[in-house]
């Protein structure tokens, strides 16, 4: 126990990095996933196929290999993202590791976000869209007033499980030089051999708190949006 | 909902516009691919000696051995996970609180903890120094605990998906609780769960890649070895990723075929809340 408590600021900092990775790549993957999903349900077949190809490729690739591409292969092609370290905003500058990690996490997660959105649109009954068109609504009106409000509700549970998986996936960044929770746990278990189970348990609890916070807020949202 | 319900049948102007969009999309795609190939050409990644490895029989054998190790770990983990999931899934549905709550805690715990962290912990606990197990077994155990917890929820969802009337009918015939579970609920649940089980194989297969962090064998370990010798990160990453995608597509095809055969067109079980990133859907 003291191994963690005597290094408690390190513990907090580690989960800070984990949270930062989660928030940045979570938001980015929502945006990219929404774009992909709208391409996938849109009328142009080439766009549908292109987005489908993206989803197939990234869904079946291990996250670790995407990290390998960002961290090992991209520098070979001349992109090491070092330039971001020159940008400084109010005394803070982002490390190249962080940028690479968030890009990898975003590329991977957005494929799943896209599928979640698509399944949401698919869950709306066909009759609803037909009725909307029958009363003369245009495409955008029927999307705005009939389809999307219902799809949004249906999409909350699958989107939550994607975001929860993203929290856990930030741990892969440990293998590529980010000092986030898993990497910090590794260095602590290395240093304090006799306290391994306690260290593991305390770090596990950190993850569980984040996961539960996301899951509970999604339940709240689900309940609020529920139609009687 | 199929996309075309959302739109009117396109008129001539819309068709022309869509054609323009199609051309623009093609141009964008070609630009992305072209740019990638151009960068590879400029930085010398297309030279023959960077790709020669994949035509050398000895190294092809190494790669195939890596694939075999990966498959072994994935299937080993899935087989153990099925047992784990069955035990804890049924345990979570027990009428006795002293069985239900420990099962609940274990399942929730291993679902919320990152697999990589679990692997590292098991590695230090079971494989470092003169500890008993190889890193490969640490990967299998970690994946068993994670996938088993997900499968426990799958089993529970499957059993709950069996219509309530069947259970009542079985009780009315005088069956005991265990009989109802073993003879009525589980056989039907297992049929519905098979596609989800195979999607879980894809998840397990992808997660074995993390094993290279604790020096377990497998495809990502092969990647490390080859790039250490030949410094050809880009070609090797492309080849290894292609192998992963190919194997996963084969697994997904099997899952889809099974679903058609056993469940029909309707969605087997909704697993979106189980925490499996693939959502358990055999698409």
């Amino acid at each position: 126990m003291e191994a963690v408590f005597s290094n408690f600021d390190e513990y907090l900092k580690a989960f800070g990095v984990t949270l930062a990775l989660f928030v940045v790549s979570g938001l980015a993957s929502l945006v990219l996933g929404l774009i992909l999903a709208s391409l996938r349900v849109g009328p142009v077949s080439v766009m549908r196929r292109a987005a489908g190809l993206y989803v197939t490729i990234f869904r079946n690739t291990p996250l670790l290999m995407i990290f390998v591409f960002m961290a090992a292969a991209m520098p070979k092609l001349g992109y090491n993202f070092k330039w971001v370290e020159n940008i400084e905003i109010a005394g803070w500058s982002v490390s190249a590791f962080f940028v690479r990690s968030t890009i990898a996490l975003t590329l991977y997660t957005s494929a799943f976000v896209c599928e979640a959105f698509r399944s949401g649109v698919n869950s709306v009954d066909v009759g609803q869209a037909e009725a909307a068109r029958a009363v003369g609504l245009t495409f955008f009106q029927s999307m705005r007033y009939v389809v999307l409000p219902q799809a949004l509700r249906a999409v909350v549970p699958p989107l939550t499980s994607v975001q929860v998986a993203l929290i856990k996936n930030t741990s892969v960044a440990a293998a590529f030089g980010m000092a986030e929770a898993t990497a910090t746990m590794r260095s602590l278990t290395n240093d304090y051999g006799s306290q391994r189970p306690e260290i593991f348990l305390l770090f596990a609890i950190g993850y569980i708190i984040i996961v539960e916070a996301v899951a509970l807020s999604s339940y709240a949202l689900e309940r609020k949006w529920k139609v009687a | 909902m199929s996309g075309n319900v959302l739109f009117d049948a396109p008129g001539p102007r819309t068709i022309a516009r869509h054609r323009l969009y199609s051309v623009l999309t093609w141009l964008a795609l070609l630009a992305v691919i072209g740019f990638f190939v151009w960068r590879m050409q400029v930085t010398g990644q297309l030279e023959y000696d960077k790709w020669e490895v994949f035509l050398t029989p000895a190294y092809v054998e190494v790669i195939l051995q890596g694939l075999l190790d990966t498959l072994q770990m994935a299937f080993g983990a899935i087989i153990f996970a099925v047992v784990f999931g069955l035990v804890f899934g049924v345990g979570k549905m027990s009428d006795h609180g002293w069985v239900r709550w420990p099962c609940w805690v274990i399942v929730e715990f291993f679902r919320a903890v990152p697999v990589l962290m679990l692997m590292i912990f098991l590695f230090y606990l079971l494989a470092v120094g003169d500890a008993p197990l190889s890193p490969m077994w640490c990967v299998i155990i970690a994946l068993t605990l994670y996938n088993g917890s997900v499968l426990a929820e799958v089993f529970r969802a499957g059993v709950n998906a069996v219509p309530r009337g069947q259970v009542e009918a079985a009780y009315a015939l005088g069956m005991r609780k265990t009989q109802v579970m073993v003879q009525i609920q589980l056989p039907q649940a297992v049929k519905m769960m098979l596609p989800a089980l195979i999607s879980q194989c894809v998840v397990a297969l992808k997660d074995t890649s993390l094993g290279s962090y604790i020096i377990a064998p497998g495809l990502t370990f092969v990647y490390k070895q080859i790039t250490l010798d030949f410094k050809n990160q880009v070609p090797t990453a492309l080849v290894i990723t292609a192998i992963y995608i190919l194997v996963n597509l084969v697994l997904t095809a099997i899952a889809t075929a099974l679903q058609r055969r056993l469940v029909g067109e309707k969605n087997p079980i909704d697993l979106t809340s189980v925490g499996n990133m693939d959502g358990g859907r055999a698409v």
Side-chain angles (χ1 to χ4, degrees):
Chain A
M1 285 286 174
E2 331 87 77
V4 172
F5 287 120
S6 58
N7 296 306
F8 203 66
D9 53 332
E10 215 174 305
Y11 178 87
L12 287 181
K13 214 188 285 169
F15 274 104
V17 177
T18 294
L19 269 179
L21 283 171
F22 164 59
V23 171
V24 174
S25 42
L27 291 176
S29 66
L30 280 183
V31 174
L32 185 56
L34 190 59
I35 295 171
L36 284 168
S38 35
L39 292 182
R40 272 205 91 171
V41 298
V44 184
S45 76
V46 183
M47 288 183 181
R48 273 206 301 268
R49 296 228 182 99
L53 186 68
Y54 178 95
V55 170
T56 309
I57 288 177
F58 281 91
R59 205 155 82 142
N60 289 308
T61 307
L63 178 59
L64 192 85
M65 289 313 293
I66 301 175
F67 264 97
V68 163
F69 264 105
M70 293 314 298
M74 288 299 265
K76 287 272 163 182
L77 295 175
Y79 301 97
N80 54 14
F81 301 98
K82 282 280 181 222
W83 52 270
V84 294
E85 294 183 349
N86 299 327
I87 305 171
E88 203 170 284
I89 303 166
W92 290 84
S93 86
V94 195
S95 73
F97 284 129
F98 186 83
V99 175
R100 278 183 214 148
S101 304
T102 44
I103 294 178
L105 286 167
T106 303
L107 288 175
Y108 182 71
T109 311
S110 51
F112 295 93
V113 171
C114 167
E115 286 307 274
F117 276 125
R118 198 170 67 106
S119 73
V121 173
N122 280 332
S123 75
V124 180
D125 193 56
V126 179
Q128 300 262 343
E130 284 171 347
R133 277 183 48 199
V135 297
L137 296 187
T138 65
F139 169 67
F140 285 106
Q141 280 174 327
S142 68
M143 277 305 233
R144 167 76 185 78
Y145 295 109
V146 180
V147 178
L148 284 184
Q150 302 185 64
L152 206 59
R153 275 188 203 118
V155 105
V156 171
L159 218 49
T160 311
S161 71
V162 169
Q163 297 297 328
V164 164
L166 172 61
I167 297 169
K168 294 186 281 173
N169 282 335
T170 56
S171 65
V172 181
F176 296 89
M178 286 299 289
E180 46 69 77
T182 299
T184 309
M185 187 209 78
R186 185 183 176 279
S187 72
L188 282 181
T189 39
N190 207 4
D191 295 346
Y192 300 88
S194 57
Q195 304 174 33
R196 274 165 198 159
E198 298 102 289
I199 294 172
F200 171 68
L201 216 60
L202 283 172
F203 275 90
I205 288 170
Y207 276 105
I208 290 172
I209 290 172
I210 302 177
V211 166
E212 289 305 317
V214 171
L216 287 179
S217 45
S218 116
Y219 289 144
L221 204 61
E222 212 179 314
R223 223 173 307 134
K224 201 175 152 196
W225 283 354
K226 201 171 208 162
V227 201
Chain B
M1 187 195 299
S2 62
N4 46 12
V5 185
L6 293 171
F7 313 104
D8 273 312
R13 260 171 60 198
T14 315
I15 289 179
R17 209 175 62 225
H18 286 177
R19 212 168 278 146
L20 177 69
Y21 290 157
S22 300
V23 172
L24 287 178
T25 314
W26 272 118
L27 285 179
L29 284 177
L30 288 178
V32 168
I33 296 168
F35 182 74
F36 189 66
V37 173
W38 172 70
R39 283 309 304 185
M40 282 180 72
Q41 177 66 44
V42 167
T43 51
Q45 298 300 329
L46 289 177
E47 280 160 26
Y48 176 70
D49 51 332
K50 291 220 186 267
W51 292 84
E52 193 188 5
V53 192
F54 308 112
L55 299 173
T56 317
Y59 277 96
V60 172
E61 224 166 84
V62 170
I63 295 174
L64 287 179
Q65 182 59 43
L67 176 62
L68 196 67
D69 288 332
T70 293
L71 288 174
Q72 262 175 4
M73 287 192 284
F75 283 110
I78 280 293
I79 287 165
F80 289 128
V82 167
V83 178
F84 183 98
L86 199 60
V87 170
F88 285 89
V90 173
K92 264 187 91 172
M93 288 181 290
S94 166
D95 287 337
H96 308 290
W98 58 271
V99 179
R100 200 170 58 234
W101 287 108
C103 290
W104 183 84
V105 168
I106 287 171
V107 168
E108 292 300 313
F109 181 81
F110 286 115
R111 261 173 60 194
V113 172
V115 183
L116 183 62
M117 202 166 96
L118 202 55
M119 273 182 202
I120 295 169
F121 172 64
L122 289 172
F123 176 68
Y124 275 103
L125 198 69
L126 299 174
V128 164
D130 39 291
L133 292 181
S134 66
M136 194 168 174
W137 275 104
C138 294
V139 173
I140 294 179
I141 296 172
L143 289 179
T144 299
L145 292 174
Y146 171 66
N147 291 299
S149 305
V150 173
L151 287 181
E153 286 296 282
V154 174
F155 277 112
R156 208 166 65 97
V159 169
N160 284 339
V162 175
R164 185 79 203 137
Q166 301 210 8
V167 180
E168 283 161 10
Y171 278 127
L173 288 175
M175 283 184 164
R176 279 174 291 109
K177 216 163 57 181
T178 321
Q179 272 181 308
V180 175
M181 178 61 81
V182 173
Q183 294 182 3
I184 308 289
Q185 288 175 302
L186 275 185
Q188 301 187 62
V190 166
K191 190 182 104 173
M192 281 189 279
M193 277 162 351
L194 266 179
L197 215 65
I198 294 180
S199 323
Q200 203 59 36
C201 288
V202 174
V203 176
L205 194 89
K206 286 196 297 182
D207 282 347
T208 55
S209 66
L210 299 172
S212 66
Y213 193 54
I214 58 166
I215 49 175
L219 280 174
T220 38
F221 189 68
V222 169
Y223 164 84
K224 268 190 187 170
Q225 287 177 309
I226 291 182
T227 50
L228 268 182
D229 286 353
F230 295 89
K231 307 278 175 252
N232 55 349
Q233 278 85 348
V234 184
T236 315
L238 285 173
V239 170
I240 297 287
T241 306
I243 296 174
Y244 271 114
I245 294 177
L246 224 63
V247 174
N248 283 335
L249 285 181
V250 170
L251 280 177
T252 311
I254 296 173
T256 315
L258 266 183
Q259 179 174 353
R260 290 254 162 75
R261 244 186 117 160
L262 295 173
V263 197
E265 287 299 317
K266 67 176 185 218
N267 207 359
I269 313 173
D270 186 28
L271 296 170
T272 45
S273 54
V274 171
N276 166 7
M277 236 203 187
D278 283 57
R281 208 164 282 109
V283 187

